[in-house]
Amino acid sequence: MNHEEEIDLEALKRDPEFQENMKLLEREMKEQRSIAKGYQLLDAKLLMEAPEEEINEIFTFIVNEAFDRLAQILSEERKFDMSDPEQWATARAIYEHGIQRYSEGDVKGAKEIFLILYYLITEEELREAMMIHAAAVMAGHDFDSFIENLADVKSIDPNDATAFFITSFAQPNDILLQMFAKEVQEGEALLKQMEENSKKN
């Protein structure tokens, strides 16, 4: 957003049409169980500096809905179709939850989430990035070390739709994957085991 389009937040807060649109978006989000609309609403509420409980409510909806969908995708043995805005938003929600787990030091939870995303995403660059995330966790990098030493967050383009995912690193992907060869192997083995377990159930 450029500065010529500076938004007058106070005027927006008082604008009945804008308020009506927000209510409509919230209704559609709930009726359609739409994660993509959840993110639109979340962005608008963050922009409006809405109360924390309103933000948390939308965020909880997004995460719960995303994990319901994830269970469904896994049980139907499908992959994410990232050209579908809803599935893209689902993958984003799961990724953001994984990053949150990582930043809170939940190594097991973060590793599993990144591996599942690697398993379900078909775009090569994004898949590789998820494996690098998982391998970094397994190799003992804590979140701060990952962000400071491995991720290249400076190169994130805010206009890029995939910018919510960290896909640029301090070194080329193939070098990192070689560096983490042991962890990559371990990750692949874990996924194989998961696949076999799910076929037994």
Side-chain angles (χ1 to χ4, degrees):
M1 182 184 304
N2 62 37
H3 292 292
E4 293 147 37
E5 296 172 25
E6 215 46 81
I7 294 173
D8 183 344
L9 290 182
E10 290 313 309
L12 262 186
K13 284 176 186 173
R14 292 189 301 271
D15 180 347
E17 191 184 344
F18 178 77
Q19 293 302 333
E20 207 44 57
N21 285 341
M22 293 272 278
K23 281 183 191 147
L24 176 67
L25 190 56
E26 187 161 7
R27 201 161 60 239
E28 286 178 345
M29 170 191 92
K30 286 177 176 164
E31 282 169 4
Q32 298 166 16
R33 293 176 60 192
S34 167
I35 297 174
K37 287 192 169 159
Y39 271 121
Q40 283 176 5
L41 188 63
L42 187 65
D43 289 344
K45 295 266 187 189
L46 286 168
L47 186 69
M48 303 303 291
E49 295 163 352
E52 202 174 326
E53 62 268 21
E54 282 182 33
I55 305 281
N56 287 343
E57 194 183 318
I58 301 164
F59 200 69
T60 303
F61 165 85
I62 287 173
V63 171
N64 290 346
E65 195 58 48
F67 276 91
D68 284 351
R69 295 225 189 129
L70 175 65
Q72 196 179 351
I73 286 171
L74 284 168
S75 72
E76 292 170 5
E77 296 182 13
R78 285 187 291 124
K79 303 272 181 186
F80 277 124
D81 173 5
M82 299 294 263
S83 64
D84 175 327
E86 271 306 313
Q87 291 195 35
W88 190 89
T90 305
R92 173 186 165 185
I94 291 161
Y95 173 71
E96 287 179 350
H97 187 70
I99 286 288
Q100 189 187 345
R101 291 271 187 94
Y102 194 7
S103 69
E104 289 167 358
D106 176 2
V107 171
K108 185 176 182 293
K111 174 186 75 177
E112 285 172 0
I113 287 173
F114 297 141
L115 281 175
I116 283 171
L117 285 170
Y118 166 77
Y119 178 68
L120 292 178
I121 288 170
T122 52
E123 273 79 355
E124 206 45 47
E125 189 193 8
L126 209 44
R127 276 192 84 214
E128 283 183 356
M130 293 306 103
M131 181 51 92
I132 291 167
H133 280 64
V137 176
M138 289 187 270
H141 284 272
D142 65 13
F143 181 70
D144 292 339
S145 147
F146 174 75
I147 293 297
E148 284 162 28
N149 305 320
L150 289 174
D152 177 13
V153 284
K154 291 187 288 296
S155 71
I156 290 174
D157 174 3
N159 302 314
D160 176 9
T162 59
F164 299 106
F165 297 88
I166 295 170
T167 54
S168 294
F169 298 95
Q171 297 194 51
N173 287 5
D174 54 349
I175 290 178
L176 283 173
L177 290 167
Q178 273 173 348
M179 207 170 87
F180 288 133
K182 181 167 97 40
E183 289 78 15
V184 170
Q185 216 173 354
E186 204 181 306
E188 294 276 14
L190 271 170
L191 284 170
K192 206 168 175 193
Q193 200 181 338
M194 261 173 43
E195 219 176 352
E196 282 163 8
N197 291 347
S198 71
K199 281 179 181 150
K200 283 177 200 163
N201 296 338

